[in-house]
Amino acid sequence: NAGVMQNPRHLVRRRGQEARLRCSPMKGHSHVYWYRQLPEEGLKFMVYLQKENIIDESGMPKERFSAEFPKEGPSILRIQQVVRGDSAAYFCASSPASGTSNEKLFFGSGTQLSVL
Amino acid sequence: AQKITQTQPGMFVQEKEAVTLDCTYDTSDQSYGLFWYKQPSSGEMIFLIYQGSYDEQNATEGRYSLNFQKARKSANLVISASQLGDSAMYFCAMREGLGGSSYKLIFGSGTRLLVRP
């Protein structure tokens, strides 16, 4: 039973380029979450998606960042015109349902984005 | 306002000894959940243990136990019989509003644990 799969594991971009990060949730999971971790900090919530719907994007910058979770295929976090401050580890997590008190949030291994 | 506070940026422990990692939280919700995650140098986030606000007993998972003191709003992680492989960053996290649909976890800044042989 594969876990949450993220790719690529490492991504290098030059300033101004676009970064696309992919996340395939665990089998049977329909909820996806993206978190960002700056160096030496804890994870910060960015966005929560269900299939074809953005439920909560309160943690996502208003400009240049977007996320989707289509009916078919992985969830995509897209960062346009990257800047050095976007360099961070981006984690995806998934859960099977909502409202259950002790549901674990399963994280992928993360994508380390480096902007040159 | 900071909702999860981990006051120990770094900790040392001798192999085979027990260690307590501190975590305090702030919430006005009656229903919430507290999590601990381990992040080794390879970077992945590994779930360790969970405590619900209504759970009567402290959670335990193998060598991990959570010392939950609700009145003090603390949820300290206790690792017994430390092993070299326990060297990692440890994050405390909270989920508010368990009846809701969001798993928006709020993380602390982490504690780096180093186990000495």
Side-chain angles (χ1 to χ4, degrees), chain A residues 9 31 33 35 37 40-43 45 48 56 58 91 95 97-105 107-109, chain B residues 33 35 37 39 42-45 47 50 89 91 95 98-110 112:
Chain A
R9 190 81 169 87
H31 298 222
Y33 311 80
Y35 286 78
Q37 184 181 31
E40 302 301 316
E41 292 187 11
L43 278 68
F45 169 81
Y48 162 39
D56 181 350
S58 59
F91 286 90
S95 67
S98 59
T100 307
S101 63
N102 63 347
E103 287 289 353
K104 301 172 192 176
L105 202 58
F107 283 90
S109 297
Chain B
F35 300 74
Y37 285 86
Q39 187 177 42
S42 50
E44 69 266 35
M45 293 290 288
F47 168 83
Y50 168 86
M89 280 290 283
F91 291 98
R95 180 194 176 206
L98 296 180
S101 60
S102 173
Y103 274 89
K104 186 192 301 187
L105 294 185
I106 303 164
F107 283 81
S109 54
R112 186 176 297 281

Side-chain angles (χ1 to χ4, degrees), chain A residues 76-88:
Chain A
I76 305 286
L77 179 68
R78 184 179 175 208
I79 311 172
Q80 295 178 290
Q81 299 175 328
V82 296
V83 300
R84 289 219 172 106
D86 297 333
S87 296

Side-chain angles (χ1 to χ4, degrees), chain B residues 4-25:
Chain B
I4 294 283
T5 302
Q6 294 181 254
T7 57
Q8 306 153 314
M11 289 277 288
F12 290 96
V13 65
Q14 204 65 35
E15 194 179 8
K16 298 180 186 176
E17 291 185 349
V19 63
T20 297
L21 306 183
D22 294 343
C23 173
T24 57
Y25 60 91

Side-chain angles (χ1 to χ4, degrees), chain A residues 9-79:
Chain A
R9 190 81 169 87
H10 300 276
L11 182 61
V12 179
R13 285 288 177 265
R14 297 193 181 278
R15 280 179 296 170
Q17 291 184 320
E18 178 181 286
R20 290 171 69 89
L21 288 64
R22 294 175 186 77
C23 169
S24 296
M26 286 184 69
K27 188 175 180 182
H29 286 194
S30 57
H31 298 222
V32 165
Y33 311 80
W34 285 94
Y35 286 78
R36 177 164 66 174
Q37 184 181 31
L38 296 172
E40 302 301 316
E41 292 187 11
L43 278 68
K44 298 281 195 303
F45 169 81
M46 297 181 74
V47 61
Y48 162 39
L49 308 105
Q50 296 176 19
K51 283 283 186 181
E52 299 184 280
N53 285 306
I54 296 174
I55 307 302
D56 181 350
E57 56 182 346
S58 59
M60 201 149 71
K62 296 286 186 284
E63 297 179 354
R64 302 188 297 108
F65 285 72
S66 62
E68 63 176 11
F69 188 18
K71 189 176 179 181
E72 302 289 339
S75 175
I76 305 286
L77 179 68
R78 184 179 175 208
I79 311 172

Side-chain angles (χ1 to χ4, degrees), chain B residues 3-109:
Chain B
K3 297 213 171 186
I4 294 283
T5 302
Q6 294 181 254
T7 57
Q8 306 153 314
M11 289 277 288
F12 290 96
V13 65
Q14 204 65 35
E15 194 179 8
K16 298 180 186 176
E17 291 185 349
V19 63
T20 297
L21 306 183
D22 294 343
C23 173
T24 57
Y25 60 91
D26 183 28
T27 182
S28 56
D29 279 5
Q30 296 301 309
S31 298
Y32 51 89
L34 296 155
F35 300 74
W36 277 92
Y37 285 86
K38 172 184 178 181
Q39 187 177 42
S41 56
S42 50
E44 69 266 35
M45 293 290 288
I46 302 168
F47 168 83
L48 294 179
I49 197 165
Y50 168 86
Q51 179 85 40
S53 58
Y54 292 122
D55 293 342
E56 295 280 334
Q57 293 189 326
N58 287 342
T60 60
E61 292 277 354
R63 294 187 298 111
Y64 304 107
S65 60
L66 200 152
N67 184 1
F68 181 44
Q69 299 194 28
K70 197 170 180 176
R72 292 186 177 184
K73 293 189 175 178
S74 75
N76 298 339
L77 176 71
V78 180
I79 306 174
S80 62
S82 298
Q83 301 171 357
L84 295 178
D86 294 335
S87 294
M89 280 290 283
Y90 288 82
F91 291 98
C92 179
M94 177 173 66
R95 180 194 176 206
E96 292 178 304
L98 296 180
S101 60
S102 173
Y103 274 89
K104 186 192 301 187
L105 294 185
I106 303 164
F107 283 81
S109 54

